[in-house]
Amino acid sequence: MPREIVTVSLGQCGNQMSSVFWQRLCAEHGISKEGILEEWATEGGDRKDVFFYQADDEHYIPRAILIDLEPRVIGNILASPYANLYNPENIYLSKDGGGAGNNWAAGYGIGERIYEEVMEMIEREAEGSDSLEGFMVMHSIAGGTGSGLGSYILERINDKFPKKLIQTYSVFPNMSVADVVVQPYNSLLTLKRLTNHADSVVVLDNGALTRIITDRLHVQNPSFDQTNQLVATVMAASTQTLRYPGYMNNDLVGIVASLIPTPRCHFLMTSYTPFTGDQIDQAKSVRKTTVLDVMRRLLQPKNRMVSTVPSKSSCYISILNIIQGEVDPTNVHQSLLRIREQQLASFIPWGPASIQVALTRKSPYMAASHRVSGLMLANHTSVATLFQRMIDQYDRLRSRKAFLEQYKKEKIFENGLEEFDDARATVDELVKEYRACETPEYITYGS
């Protein structure tokens, strides 16, 4: 029985990610730009219906909902060769096209006004699937639409479908270079929603993505398109076991359950190796890949797509390695023993100290230059340093009462700024819980 997933992309960043992700899925499943199955795509064994459904004339349509408050990015998608792939009823563009002006409160306020239309699309997609498993939300947390409208939609989806999983791919801002002056406000307010309403959040950090592309591919100023290809590779790999199912981890619940032992600590880091030319143009030369080599590289901090500052005590809560390609299970076992012997990964003191491995097939329709590639989804306590940096930046702005006027104009802040204080308290509590995870006493935490 297929367990369908509906993707919801919000704002400029979310829709750019989504666009590259769907191009990637089409390539992996042998589906043309118009959604028609290519004649040579006859291998089978893949589940197209997790992310696509078939129209009456047999062509494939993504279970995707695209929402934006300004027309530019969606306009580009509709002018691209993939324009006919999407269901036009699933695209929401704001009538006045003004956007949310990088203001979380404006995006949230617009959410209340457009709620009916957007939820109607989401419900229609949900009803149209046989056994919906959950939602994948793509957005950034620094701007206005992805953060504000994203927060509102996240709350509503959680209310409406309390038993469905919500996994978000959230792009965190580059902490050292601020594109938006009010990003500490927007990020903190969104982070409260991600903590309370999402089941799992894959943290992608613009700073780290840019660093990886600069280091690995020797590109001085990476374009959004290149960083999005990197994100799409990660998203495709993290859903690989759902689309090319094996015996284990063939649904999202299984993956999430094995990574997230306690409900609030659900922020996942990713690393991927090797990056190659077929995913991202002008990559480095091909080398020999073995399971041990791939697993060892996944644990290296420089391959992580999040810039955190690990302390001596920070450790992994859980790790899932999704290894794609031709792999002998005995190699996996030997590699895990070697990693344990060399103590390459330190784990929490109160849980099982093991790396979980899911083996999955590669898409037969995409030529890969490497025999083995791997994605690591890890729950690591050092992610708290990212949240702590956000709180510090927020405090700096807030102590000067900077830029608060534009927030006060919106309905949610008209009776005072309690929402800010509440969000800060939520994130602060999250940081404390991640710190507590590093101690054996965590089992009794909060009781």
Side-chain angles (χ1 to χ4, degrees):
M1 182 169 73
R3 303 277 283 148
E4 297 91 356
I5 295 174
V6 173
T7 68
V8 181
S9 50
L10 297 129
Q12 176 186 340
C13 173
N15 283 307
Q16 284 172 331
M17 282 160 62
S18 153
S19 159
V20 182
F21 173 63
W22 284 107
Q23 291 173 26
R24 169 106 193 171
L25 283 197
C26 285
E28 287 201 6
H29 289 292
I31 292 170
S32 74
K33 295 180 174 69
E34 280 78 38
I36 295 154
L37 194 62
E38 303 279 14
E39 288 169 12
W40 37 261
T42 51
E43 297 255 338
D46 56 343
R47 276 195 198 154
K48 297 179 185 62
D49 41 8
V50 174
F51 283 104
F52 295 90
Y53 59 91
Q54 282 183 287
D56 293 347
D57 63 355
E58 298 284 295
H59 83 277
Y60 284 91
I61 299 174
R63 300 178 191 277
I65 291 161
L66 291 72
I67 305 166
D68 205 353
L69 301 178
E70 54 176 11
R72 195 171 52 101
V73 176
I74 290 183
N76 288 347
I77 293 173
L78 294 179
S80 74
Y82 288 86
N84 298 333
L85 184 67
Y86 301 95
N87 176 355
E89 290 182 343
N90 284 5
I91 296 176
Y92 178 87
L93 267 175
S94 167
K95 304 286 182 292
D96 48 7
N102 287 331
N103 179 338
W104 183 92
Y108 194 85
I110 291 170
E112 294 182 350
R113 297 199 287 280
I114 66 172
Y115 162 71
E116 299 282 326
E117 275 183 84
V118 170
M119 276 322 269
E120 196 266 326
M121 291 177 189
I122 293 174
E123 280 172 33
R124 189 181 64 242
E125 278 300 325
E127 302 290 320
S129 45
D130 292 340
S131 69
L132 177 73
E133 176 160 43
F135 298 91
M136 259 170 59
V137 179
M138 306 169 213
H139 65 136
S140 81
I141 70 167
T145 308
S147 68
L149 180 57
S151 296
Y152 188 82
I153 298 296
L154 200 60
E155 291 175 351
R156 298 289 80 81
I157 291 177
N158 198 13
D159 288 346
K160 194 85 190 169
F161 304 96
K163 296 236 168 80
K164 303 298 179 201
L165 272 181
I166 301 176
Q167 172 149 30
T168 75
Y169 288 82
S170 306
V171 176
F172 281 56
N174 183 347
M175 291 290 179
S176 47
V177 187
D179 300 330
V180 182
V181 283
V182 289
Q183 72 187 23
Y185 290 159
N186 296 339
S187 303
L188 204 77
L189 290 161
T190 313
L191 204 50
K192 175 189 161 186
R193 273 63 187 187
L194 290 175
T195 307
N196 293 340
H197 298 284
D199 294 294
S200 126
V201 175
V202 176
V203 178
L204 300 159
D205 166 344
N206 260 336
L209 294 172
T210 310
R211 189 200 70 234
I212 288 173
I213 291 188
T214 312
D215 291 357
R216 287 273 172 285
L217 313 177
H218 306 304
V219 180
Q220 263 2 82
N221 294 319
S223 64
F224 275 141
D225 198 45
Q226 285 169 313
T227 47
N228 285 335
Q229 278 187 321
L230 192 47
V231 172
T233 305
V234 168
M235 291 171 67
S238 66
T239 58
Q240 191 87 10
T241 53
L242 316 176
R243 297 177 291 115
Y244 286 87
Y247 298 111
M248 284 175 67
N249 299 98
N250 47 19
D251 60 358
L252 198 55
V253 174
I255 293 177
V256 168
S258 61
L259 281 168
I260 299 169
T262 56
R264 286 174 79 79
C265 297
H266 59 238
F267 291 84
L268 305 179
M269 300 186 185
T270 54
S271 30
Y272 185 85
T273 184
F275 293 125
T276 56
D278 43 71
Q279 278 115 13
I280 295 178
D281 308 328
Q282 314 116 10
K284 274 190 182 168
S285 57
V286 177
R287 56 169 192 271
K288 184 171 187 275
T289 51
T290 62
V291 178
L292 179 60
D293 177 60
V294 164
M295 282 192 181
R296 197 183 273 138
R297 279 170 197 279
L298 288 176
L299 290 167
Q300 291 172 349
K302 66 179 183 193
N303 284 328
R304 276 190 214 142
M305 300 194 190
V306 182
S307 315
T308 57
V309 188
S311 66
K312 286 272 187 290
S313 58
S314 54
C315 50
Y316 286 100
I317 298 173
S318 56
I319 298 180
L320 172 66
N321 283 344
I322 295 175
I323 308 281
Q324 306 177 14
E326 308 158 28
V327 179
D328 180 358
T330 54
N331 289 355
V332 174
H333 190 65
Q334 285 161 350
S335 307
L336 289 172
L337 284 176
R338 289 286 294 281
I339 284 172
R340 182 170 293 179
E341 281 162 16
Q342 295 168 359
Q343 296 180 330
L344 294 178
S346 55
F347 278 88
I348 43 169
W350 49 270
S354 64
I355 297 177
Q356 303 162 71
V357 179
L359 300 179
T360 172
R361 290 174 300 158
K362 277 190 173 161
S363 161
Y365 311 124
M366 285 183 76
S369 46
H370 289 98
R371 232 182 55 231
V372 186
S373 60
L375 169 81
M376 175 172 82
L377 290 169
N379 198 343
H380 193 271
T381 58
S382 70
V383 77
T385 59
L386 189 67
F387 306 148
Q388 188 59 54
R389 264 195 318 224
M390 270 183 193
I391 293 178
D392 297 343
Q393 288 188 334
Y394 163 81
D395 287 346
R396 248 176 269 148
L397 273 187
R398 184 68 200 273
S399 62
R400 297 191 194 123
K401 297 193 168 50
F403 309 112
L404 286 174
E405 288 311 310
Q406 58 201 44
Y407 288 84
K408 289 178 184 165
K409 290 177 190 156
E410 299 294 335
K411 187 179 158 199
I412 187 167
F413 291 113
E414 65 189 4
N415 299 325
L417 298 171
E418 284 79 40
E419 185 56 46
F420 273 125
D421 304 328
D422 193 28
R424 189 191 184 288
T426 303
V427 178
D428 196 45
E429 183 54 42
L430 182 67
V431 171
K432 285 188 182 124
E433 180 152 352
Y434 265 112
R435 297 258 161 81
C437 273
E438 297 166 1
T439 63
E441 292 75 53
Y442 179 64
I443 296 297
T444 56
Y445 181 81
S447 61

PDB file of all heavy atoms in Angstrom, residues 383-393 424 427-428 431 435:
ATOM      1  N   VAL A 383      23.227  21.017  17.531  1.00  0.00           N
ATOM      2  CA  VAL A 383      22.309  21.888  16.789  1.00  0.00           C
ATOM      3  C   VAL A 383      21.802  23.005  17.716  1.00  0.00           C
ATOM      4  O   VAL A 383      21.408  24.077  17.271  1.00  0.00           O
ATOM      5  CB  VAL A 383      21.148  21.066  16.175  1.00  0.00           C
ATOM      6  CG1 VAL A 383      20.110  20.700  17.208  1.00  0.00           C
ATOM      7  CG2 VAL A 383      20.508  21.803  15.013  1.00  0.00           C
ATOM      8  N   ALA A 384      21.890  22.751  19.017  1.00  0.00           N
ATOM      9  CA  ALA A 384      21.456  23.776  19.981  1.00  0.00           C
ATOM     10  C   ALA A 384      22.290  25.044  19.869  1.00  0.00           C
ATOM     11  O   ALA A 384      21.813  26.141  20.163  1.00  0.00           O
ATOM     12  CB  ALA A 384      21.534  23.224  21.401  1.00  0.00           C
ATOM     13  N   THR A 385      23.552  24.909  19.411  1.00  0.00           N
ATOM     14  CA  THR A 385      24.386  26.118  19.295  1.00  0.00           C
ATOM     15  C   THR A 385      23.831  27.053  18.222  1.00  0.00           C
ATOM     16  O   THR A 385      23.964  28.271  18.313  1.00  0.00           O
ATOM     17  CB  THR A 385      25.853  25.774  18.953  1.00  0.00           C
ATOM     18  OG1 THR A 385      25.899  25.062  17.711  1.00  0.00           O
ATOM     19  CG2 THR A 385      26.489  24.935  20.045  1.00  0.00           C
ATOM     20  N   LEU A 386      23.200  26.456  17.207  1.00  0.00           N
ATOM     21  CA  LEU A 386      22.573  27.268  16.150  1.00  0.00           C
ATOM     22  C   LEU A 386      21.421  28.086  16.747  1.00  0.00           C
ATOM     23  O   LEU A 386      21.280  29.287  16.487  1.00  0.00           O
ATOM     24  CB  LEU A 386      22.048  26.314  15.073  1.00  0.00           C
ATOM     25  CG  LEU A 386      21.533  26.889  13.767  1.00  0.00           C
ATOM     26  CD1 LEU A 386      22.657  27.517  12.972  1.00  0.00           C
ATOM     27  CD2 LEU A 386      20.886  25.779  12.936  1.00  0.00           C
ATOM     28  N   PHE A 387      20.619  27.422  17.600  1.00  0.00           N
ATOM     29  CA  PHE A 387      19.479  28.113  18.217  1.00  0.00           C
ATOM     30  C   PHE A 387      19.966  29.169  19.211  1.00  0.00           C
ATOM     31  O   PHE A 387      19.373  30.243  19.322  1.00  0.00           O
ATOM     32  CB  PHE A 387      18.561  27.104  18.926  1.00  0.00           C
ATOM     33  CG  PHE A 387      18.109  25.968  18.048  1.00  0.00           C
ATOM     34  CD1 PHE A 387      17.870  24.703  18.576  1.00  0.00           C
ATOM     35  CD2 PHE A 387      17.932  26.159  16.691  1.00  0.00           C
ATOM     36  CE1 PHE A 387      17.461  23.657  17.757  1.00  0.00           C
ATOM     37  CE2 PHE A 387      17.526  25.118  15.864  1.00  0.00           C
ATOM     38  CZ  PHE A 387      17.295  23.870  16.402  1.00  0.00           C
ATOM     39  N   GLN A 388      21.051  28.833  19.902  1.00  0.00           N
ATOM     40  CA  GLN A 388      21.581  29.789  20.874  1.00  0.00           C
ATOM     41  C   GLN A 388      22.059  31.061  20.169  1.00  0.00           C
ATOM     42  O   GLN A 388      21.815  32.175  20.642  1.00  0.00           O
ATOM     43  CB  GLN A 388      22.728  29.141  21.653  1.00  0.00           C
ATOM     44  CG  GLN A 388      23.242  29.977  22.821  1.00  0.00           C
ATOM     45  CD  GLN A 388      22.149  30.292  23.850  1.00  0.00           C
ATOM     46  OE1 GLN A 388      21.490  29.404  24.355  1.00  0.00           O
ATOM     47  NE2 GLN A 388      21.938  31.570  24.132  1.00  0.00           N
ATOM     48  N   ARG A 389      22.708  30.876  19.019  1.00  0.00           N
ATOM     49  CA  ARG A 389      23.165  32.051  18.248  1.00  0.00           C
ATOM     50  C   ARG A 389      21.986  32.912  17.827  1.00  0.00           C
ATOM     51  O   ARG A 389      22.048  34.133  17.820  1.00  0.00           O
ATOM     52  CB  ARG A 389      23.930  31.594  17.003  1.00  0.00           C
ATOM     53  CG  ARG A 389      25.429  31.569  17.209  1.00  0.00           C
ATOM     54  CD  ARG A 389      26.167  31.471  15.901  1.00  0.00           C
ATOM     55  NE  ARG A 389      25.548  30.522  14.991  1.00  0.00           N
ATOM     56  CZ  ARG A 389      26.211  29.634  14.261  1.00  0.00           C
ATOM     57  NH1 ARG A 389      27.496  29.543  14.351  1.00  0.00           N
ATOM     58  NH2 ARG A 389      25.606  28.830  13.428  1.00  0.00           N
ATOM     59  N   MET A 390      20.878  32.228  17.468  1.00  0.00           N
ATOM     60  CA  MET A 390      19.673  32.977  17.092  1.00  0.00           C
ATOM     61  C   MET A 390      19.146  33.801  18.255  1.00  0.00           C
ATOM     62  O   MET A 390      18.763  34.955  18.083  1.00  0.00           O
ATOM     63  CB  MET A 390      18.565  32.000  16.701  1.00  0.00           C
ATOM     64  CG  MET A 390      18.578  31.663  15.279  1.00  0.00           C
ATOM     65  SD  MET A 390      17.180  30.619  15.011  1.00  0.00           S
ATOM     66  CE  MET A 390      17.609  30.040  13.432  1.00  0.00           C
ATOM     67  N   ILE A 391      19.109  33.176  19.436  1.00  0.00           N
ATOM     68  CA  ILE A 391      18.617  33.891  20.616  1.00  0.00           C
ATOM     69  C   ILE A 391      19.512  35.103  20.885  1.00  0.00           C
ATOM     70  O   ILE A 391      19.022  36.198  21.167  1.00  0.00           O
ATOM     71  CB  ILE A 391      18.591  32.954  21.852  1.00  0.00           C
ATOM     72  CG1 ILE A 391      17.537  31.860  21.661  1.00  0.00           C
ATOM     73  CG2 ILE A 391      18.292  33.741  23.120  1.00  0.00           C
ATOM     74  CD1 ILE A 391      17.468  30.858  22.795  1.00  0.00           C
ATOM     75  N   ASP A 392      20.829  34.917  20.779  1.00  0.00           N
ATOM     76  CA  ASP A 392      21.756  36.028  21.044  1.00  0.00           C
ATOM     77  C   ASP A 392      21.519  37.179  20.066  1.00  0.00           C
ATOM     78  O   ASP A 392      21.489  38.352  20.457  1.00  0.00           O
ATOM     79  CB  ASP A 392      23.214  35.553  20.942  1.00  0.00           C
ATOM     80  CG  ASP A 392      23.540  34.501  21.993  1.00  0.00           C
ATOM     81  OD1 ASP A 392      22.755  34.395  22.960  1.00  0.00           O
ATOM     82  OD2 ASP A 392      24.550  33.797  21.839  1.00  0.00           O
ATOM     83  N   GLN A 393      21.352  36.833  18.782  1.00  0.00           N
ATOM     84  CA  GLN A 393      21.105  37.892  17.787  1.00  0.00           C
ATOM     85  C   GLN A 393      19.773  38.586  18.056  1.00  0.00           C
ATOM     86  O   GLN A 393      19.660  39.805  17.926  1.00  0.00           O
ATOM     87  CB  GLN A 393      21.093  37.286  16.373  1.00  0.00           C
ATOM     88  CG  GLN A 393      22.464  36.877  15.894  1.00  0.00           C
ATOM     89  CD  GLN A 393      22.449  36.469  14.426  1.00  0.00           C
ATOM     90  OE1 GLN A 393      21.431  36.032  13.903  1.00  0.00           O
ATOM     91  NE2 GLN A 393      23.575  36.596  13.767  1.00  0.00           N
ATOM     92  N   ARG A 424      10.772  33.253  22.391  1.00  0.00           N
ATOM     93  CA  ARG A 424      12.125  33.175  22.953  1.00  0.00           C
ATOM     94  C   ARG A 424      12.174  32.112  24.056  1.00  0.00           C
ATOM     95  O   ARG A 424      13.128  31.329  24.146  1.00  0.00           O
ATOM     96  CB  ARG A 424      12.549  34.534  23.527  1.00  0.00           C
ATOM     97  CG  ARG A 424      14.016  34.544  23.910  1.00  0.00           C
ATOM     98  CD  ARG A 424      14.409  35.770  24.719  1.00  0.00           C
ATOM     99  NE  ARG A 424      15.834  35.777  24.990  1.00  0.00           N
ATOM    100  CZ  ARG A 424      16.449  34.972  25.842  1.00  0.00           C
ATOM    101  NH1 ARG A 424      15.743  34.070  26.503  1.00  0.00           N
ATOM    102  NH2 ARG A 424      17.768  35.040  26.035  1.00  0.00           N
ATOM    103  N   VAL A 427      12.259  28.592  22.494  1.00  0.00           N
ATOM    104  CA  VAL A 427      13.557  28.226  21.910  1.00  0.00           C
ATOM    105  C   VAL A 427      14.590  28.028  23.014  1.00  0.00           C
ATOM    106  O   VAL A 427      15.426  27.120  22.943  1.00  0.00           O
ATOM    107  CB  VAL A 427      14.013  29.302  20.896  1.00  0.00           C
ATOM    108  CG1 VAL A 427      15.373  28.955  20.320  1.00  0.00           C
ATOM    109  CG2 VAL A 427      12.990  29.431  19.763  1.00  0.00           C
ATOM    110  N   ASP A 428      14.503  28.845  24.054  1.00  0.00           N
ATOM    111  CA  ASP A 428      15.440  28.714  25.161  1.00  0.00           C
ATOM    112  C   ASP A 428      15.267  27.344  25.839  1.00  0.00           C
ATOM    113  O   ASP A 428      16.239  26.655  26.168  1.00  0.00           O
ATOM    114  CB  ASP A 428      15.180  29.847  26.172  1.00  0.00           C
ATOM    115  CG  ASP A 428      16.341  30.005  27.132  1.00  0.00           C
ATOM    116  OD1 ASP A 428      17.491  29.981  26.656  1.00  0.00           O
ATOM    117  OD2 ASP A 428      16.105  30.125  28.342  1.00  0.00           O
ATOM    118  N   VAL A 431      16.874  24.694  23.708  1.00  0.00           N
ATOM    119  CA  VAL A 431      18.338  24.660  23.881  1.00  0.00           C
ATOM    120  C   VAL A 431      18.682  23.898  25.164  1.00  0.00           C
ATOM    121  O   VAL A 431      19.570  23.049  25.189  1.00  0.00           O
ATOM    122  CB  VAL A 431      18.916  26.098  23.932  1.00  0.00           C
ATOM    123  CG1 VAL A 431      20.391  26.077  24.324  1.00  0.00           C
ATOM    124  CG2 VAL A 431      18.740  26.782  22.583  1.00  0.00           C
ATOM    125  N   ARG A 435      20.822  20.415  25.673  1.00  0.00           N
ATOM    126  CA  ARG A 435      21.986  20.333  26.582  1.00  0.00           C
ATOM    127  C   ARG A 435      21.780  19.179  27.563  1.00  0.00           C
ATOM    128  O   ARG A 435      22.718  18.440  27.878  1.00  0.00           O
ATOM    129  CB  ARG A 435      22.125  21.644  27.368  1.00  0.00           C
ATOM    130  CG  ARG A 435      22.388  22.858  26.513  1.00  0.00           C
ATOM    131  CD  ARG A 435      23.849  23.273  26.544  1.00  0.00           C
ATOM    132  NE  ARG A 435      24.162  24.134  25.406  1.00  0.00           N
ATOM    133  CZ  ARG A 435      23.890  25.439  25.366  1.00  0.00           C
ATOM    134  NH1 ARG A 435      23.334  26.036  26.399  1.00  0.00           N
ATOM    135  NH2 ARG A 435      24.198  26.155  24.297  1.00  0.00           N
TER     136      ARG A 435
END
